[in-house]
Amino acid sequence: MNPYQPAGKEATAAAIETRFKQYENLPMPVVTDTRVTIELYPDQRYFQAQGQYTLENRTDQPIREIHLLTFINLQLGEVNYPGATLREAHPEWGYYIYDLATPLVPGEQQVLQFQTATAPARGFRNQVDSDDVYMVYPNDVVHNGTNLYSPFMLPFVGYTKMVEHKQAWLRANLGLPPLAERMRAHDDPNGLAQALMVSHLSWGSTDVTIGTAADQTAVTAGRLVDEWVAGDRAYFRYQSTTPTRGKFTVFSARYDTYRTEDYRVPIEIYHHPQHADNVALIAQQVGEALAFYEDTFGPYPFEQVRVVEFVYYDGMVFSDGGTVGIPEVLVWKSDATGAGRESLVDWVSYLLAHAWWEDQLIAADVAGGMTIREALSAYASELYQRSQRSFEEQRLAKQQLMRDYFRQLGKIDFQEPPLADIYNELPIARHKGGMVLELIEQQIGQAAMLTALRNFLADHRYQTPPYATVLDLRDAIAAQAPEGDQALINELFAEVLTYQVGITDATYAPLANGQYRVQLNVEAQKLITTNLGQQTTAPLEMPVMIALQNQDGDVIYEAEHTLDGMESSVEMTVSELPAVAAIDGDYILPSSFLPDNTKPVPPPRRLDINSRASQTSFYFLPIRTLYCCTGCNPEVSPDLSCVITV
């Protein structure tokens, strides 16, 4: 029924890159308007699409050929463009080249019509279409719970890096250039003129009609302007209402719908009927996060928020045009208490934040582009969650985040890039990027940080080329920072930094005035990663927060300290009995070394010397101060009669 395919599509993807990457910088038009009708057939598990792009030449030279690329197992049907002739067709690789009889001159627009389809399913296959091709998603229509991402359903215009392998060892085995050589420089003119990843899409509009089985509901981005039934088919038409990136995700299933208008815009939840337990909580978190983001970053650009459940494909979540797609295993079936609730809030708030950091600005297709979307969405989500958590909940959540991230980081097979050089290393851009922005916030203050981000968004909202770069983000933050923090901000974007802080020893001594002198011996250093698995150490060179708690867990001391070196001693005086000391107790510094951040503060070590004449207790401290109490029992009366420094 189906041909056997060897595991993975490694050779196919490598052949596409080897053969067609030569066309990466060839001038291509961009899509400014997409109109498409998509017919889903859940019972037969395939789809057909018929649509048109409005193409515009935004380069400074005539375009004489158009290249179309389709992803794995997507069939390209009839293509119509005035005066276009098919010069090369490579269906095994999904690459097609058309010569234009009349060049498309700068500023000119023209319509390209196309058809795409997948074949009806027969029997079963030995693997899905996207196996082993990172960030390429399958075009699988399923019986109930379909999701299809438009860049893989419709043709790309021009070559895209999305087809390229992202694993360093695999690239080496296949004779492909190293990962670092795939990135464009921050000032590359071709990269500045193209959108990150989906380089053929620019600001424009969408008009999407979806046909599906009569017992299913189809959902995508935009305003639902019409719906009807024709025979055994149900149809839904959606149109964009604001400038859009031109990408969208199509969902279809036998959904139950939950709707609330308790917030500024309606919130709609489309879910499997048996997965209703968390729906009200999801809607609540969407509504509260929405209000928080609008107060913090500005207006939400869409008329509603939709959250949609779909079947599980590893690593896939979506946020396009106010429609958030989350697979069933992440939040819908979770126990919404403890870690399950944390995960639910994290996913919902992180994906909703894309409405500000992807749906309102375009990152240029240069190094560091993904950092803009991922780091800012992660930071916004963390900012919201911080406002909802208690001090202890926040501390534990940050601790778990760092544990999870650094475990994941240990699995990569390439040198970790700095934030300014990330291309498609999504976990690093998201988690490390969010941590770095929070660290910068602590240094320059939250008010300065939020002003910087609002200015950055205002400067680049719906901007045409040249698009925003990570250096624009860095400079917007630096513009709001004190002069003394400029070097640190540049370093955090340009270098791969982690930190190691800990308390090696802690003790206190009571003073005659009823207060307590506390001494901490601390280690604090930054680790600079220069090559895979290689690090050098340097002094911390930034203030770090040190705190003390009493036996009830209340904070009795909290202040920033600038440490002299990688090992130093810190003294402080407090009016309450200290119990626990912490350095970077909020886990602001990205660190894989967590156990030593806190330490109990014991009383000074004591040696009792007994004689017939008297009983004397001696306290020995690392700072060479000797406290003595003559003629008394320190267990009963801690008051001191003398202090001797030796």
Side-chain angles (χ1 to χ4, degrees):
M1 285 188 177
N2 294 300
Y4 172 75
Q5 296 176 328
K9 307 286 193 303
E10 293 94 341
T12 300
I16 294 172
E17 179 178 348
T18 301
R19 187 177 181 95
F20 302 111
K21 190 176 177 66
Q22 61 179 308
Y23 301 125
E24 181 178 17
N25 292 325
L26 196 68
M28 285 287 135
V30 295
V31 177
T32 61
D33 181 78
T34 300
R35 298 174 184 270
V36 63
T37 296
I38 301 164
E39 297 281 2
L40 306 178
Y41 297 94
D43 290 342
Q44 291 81 38
R45 297 180 54 201
Y46 75 100
F47 76 85
Q48 295 176 333
Q50 182 168 343
Q52 66 178 44
Y53 290 151
T54 298
L55 302 179
E56 181 177 341
N57 182 354
R58 291 187 175 173
T59 74
D60 59 359
Q61 54 190 297
I63 293 175
R64 292 180 168 82
E65 57 189 79
I66 291 178
H67 294 214
L68 299 182
L69 185 152
T70 59
F71 282 84
I72 296 170
N73 285 357
L74 182 65
Q75 302 169 359
L76 182 65
E78 183 178 357
V79 173
N80 291 308
Y81 181 100
T85 303
L86 181 62
R87 186 177 86 209
E88 294 183 32
H90 305 279
E92 69 275 28
W93 294 318
Y95 206 93
Y96 305 84
I97 302 176
Y98 296 84
D99 288 329
L100 303 185
T102 303
L104 189 68
V105 299
E108 184 182 5
Q109 292 186 342
Q110 188 56 268
V111 172
L112 179 142
Q113 298 175 323
F114 58 84
Q115 295 177 351
T116 60
T118 55
R122 298 184 304 167
F124 61 90
R125 293 169 292 169
N126 60 303
Q127 65 178 116
V128 299
D129 293 344
S130 63
D131 278 1
D132 299 312
V133 187
Y134 172 67
M135 294 185 73
V136 173
Y137 308 140
N139 274 321
D140 286 343
V141 179
V142 299
H143 293 291
N144 187 32
T146 293
N147 78 294
L148 299 170
Y149 188 44
S150 65
F152 303 109
M153 303 167 61
L154 311 178
F156 258 77
V157 180
Y159 178 85
T160 172
K161 286 189 179 73
M162 292 187 77
V163 300
E164 298 178 5
H165 284 296
K166 288 80 179 174
Q167 295 172 297
W169 68 269
L170 189 54
R171 295 185 65 81
N173 287 350
L174 294 168
L176 299 171
L179 285 168
E181 296 181 15
R182 298 167 53 252
M183 297 181 298
R184 287 169 164 153
H186 298 114
D187 59 354
D188 181 275
N190 292 309
L192 292 173
Q194 295 182 355
L196 181 68
M197 297 295 184
V198 284
S199 53
H200 65 299
L201 299 178
S202 186
W203 297 118
S205 60
T206 58
D207 188 327
V208 181
T209 299
I210 309 165
T212 188
D215 62 345
Q216 297 200 9
T217 301
V219 184
T220 193
R223 176 193 293 162
L224 179 62
V225 297
D226 199 5
E227 58 180 303
W228 66 95
V229 175
D232 61 350
R233 307 280 294 162
Y235 288 88
F236 304 82
R237 185 180 183 186
Y238 294 86
Q239 293 178 337
S240 58
T241 57
T242 60
T244 177
R245 292 288 312 277
K247 59 185 181 64
F248 51 89
T249 306
V250 171
F251 305 93
S252 180
R254 293 186 287 274
Y255 288 123
D256 271 2
T257 304
Y258 177 95
R259 181 182 176 93
T260 177
E261 298 193 16
D262 291 343
Y263 303 92
R264 194 185 68 77
V265 299
I267 297 171
E268 301 168 356
I269 313 292
Y270 296 83
H271 64 95
H272 184 56
Q274 296 180 10
H275 300 161
D277 291 350
N278 296 338
V279 166
L281 177 59
I282 291 171
Q284 175 196 345
Q285 289 301 317
V286 168
E288 293 180 1
L290 175 67
F292 180 87
Y293 292 157
E294 288 202 307
D295 289 343
T296 307
F297 302 116
Y300 177 71
F302 307 111
E303 296 181 350
Q304 70 287 308
V305 182
R306 299 188 184 102
V307 183
V308 189
E309 180 182 11
F310 62 90
V311 297
Y312 179 67
Y313 295 135
D314 187 21
M316 294 174 62
V317 290
F318 298 93
S319 183
D320 306 292
T323 299
V324 171
I326 306 178
E328 60 178 341
V329 298
L330 287 184
V331 305
W332 305 96
K333 299 189 291 186
S334 300
D335 179 5
T337 58
R341 181 187 176 92
E342 285 282 332
S343 178
L344 184 152
V345 176
D346 184 54
W347 278 113
V348 168
S349 58
Y350 156 72
L351 290 170
L352 182 62
H354 283 59
W356 282 263
W357 305 116
E358 185 174 29
D359 287 326
Q360 298 187 53
L361 60 83
I362 292 178
D365 191 31
V366 299
M370 185 172 283
T371 300
I372 296 175
R373 178 189 75 193
E374 292 301 321
L376 288 171
S377 295
Y379 172 74
S381 173
E382 173 60 28
L383 200 64
Y384 165 68
Q385 293 182 75
R386 214 188 309 166
S387 73
Q388 305 292 304
R389 293 173 178 147
S390 67
F391 173 84
E392 183 63 14
E393 288 171 339
Q394 173 66 11
R395 189 183 70 81
L396 293 175
K398 287 298 298 294
Q399 187 180 54
Q400 190 61 47
L401 170 63
M402 289 195 188
R403 283 174 177 158
D404 293 344
Y405 170 70
F406 282 101
R407 286 185 188 127
Q408 187 175 9
L409 188 64
K411 300 176 183 179
I412 68 172
D413 63 342
F414 54 87
Q415 180 182 339
E416 177 188 351
L419 296 183
D421 290 341
I422 284 174
Y423 186 74
N424 52 27
E425 296 80 17
L426 190 151
I428 300 173
R430 177 187 174 188
H431 298 300
K432 181 71 172 292
M435 293 178 199
V436 167
L437 293 182
E438 188 174 358
L439 171 56
I440 295 174
E441 178 207 305
Q442 187 185 58
Q443 297 301 309
I444 71 174
Q446 187 177 104
M449 186 66 167
L450 295 183
T451 297
L453 299 188
R454 286 191 289 265
N455 290 346
F456 173 70
L457 181 58
D459 289 344
H460 299 283
R461 182 184 280 113
Y462 304 132
Q463 175 182 310
T464 56
Y467 293 125
T469 73
V470 69
L471 300 189
D472 295 323
L473 173 61
R474 179 203 64 188
D475 292 346
I477 296 172
Q480 300 300 319
E483 185 175 348
D485 290 323
Q486 304 287 327
L488 172 63
I489 292 170
N490 289 333
E491 184 181 50
L492 286 169
F493 277 91
E495 303 289 345
V496 180
L497 302 180
T498 54
Y499 300 87
Q500 182 176 359
V501 295
I503 301 174
T504 58
D505 193 30
T507 189
Y508 78 85
L511 301 177
N513 61 3
Q515 294 185 315
Y516 302 86
R517 180 178 294 136
V518 179
Q519 178 174 312
L520 307 178
N521 291 342
V522 301
E523 293 181 342
Q525 56 190 342
K526 65 181 177 184
L527 308 177
I528 307 166
T529 302
T530 53
N531 291 297
L532 185 61
Q534 297 181 3
Q535 290 181 324
T536 58
T537 60
L540 190 61
E541 296 180 335
M542 71 168 66
V544 62
M545 189 69 71
I546 293 178
L548 299 173
Q549 293 179 337
N550 61 22
Q551 293 179 343
D552 296 327
D554 299 325
V555 176
I556 59 175
Y557 176 89
E558 188 173 46
E560 287 187 336
H561 288 256
T562 300
L563 306 175
D564 296 333
M566 289 188 283
E567 296 183 4
S568 46
S569 180
V570 179
E571 287 189 16
M572 60 213 72
T573 300
V574 294
S575 57
E576 295 185 51
L577 185 68
V580 177
I583 181 169
D584 188 36
D586 294 344
Y587 298 103
I588 300 298
L589 298 172
S591 175
S592 59
F593 302 92
L594 300 180
D596 295 334
N597 282 50
T598 61
K599 198 173 187 68
V601 183
R605 294 182 291 274
R606 187 183 71 196
L607 173 65
D608 290 333
I609 301 175
N610 298 312
S611 67
R612 293 179 182 179
S614 66
Q615 178 179 340
T616 303
S617 299
F618 297 92
Y619 293 83
F620 294 96
L621 298 180
I623 58 174
R624 294 184 170 274
T625 299
L626 176 66
Y627 297 86
C628 66
C629 179
T630 304
C632 63
N633 185 345
E635 300 294 329
V636 177
S637 175
D639 294 333
L640 302 177
S641 60
C642 62
V643 178
I644 305 172
T645 301
V646 295

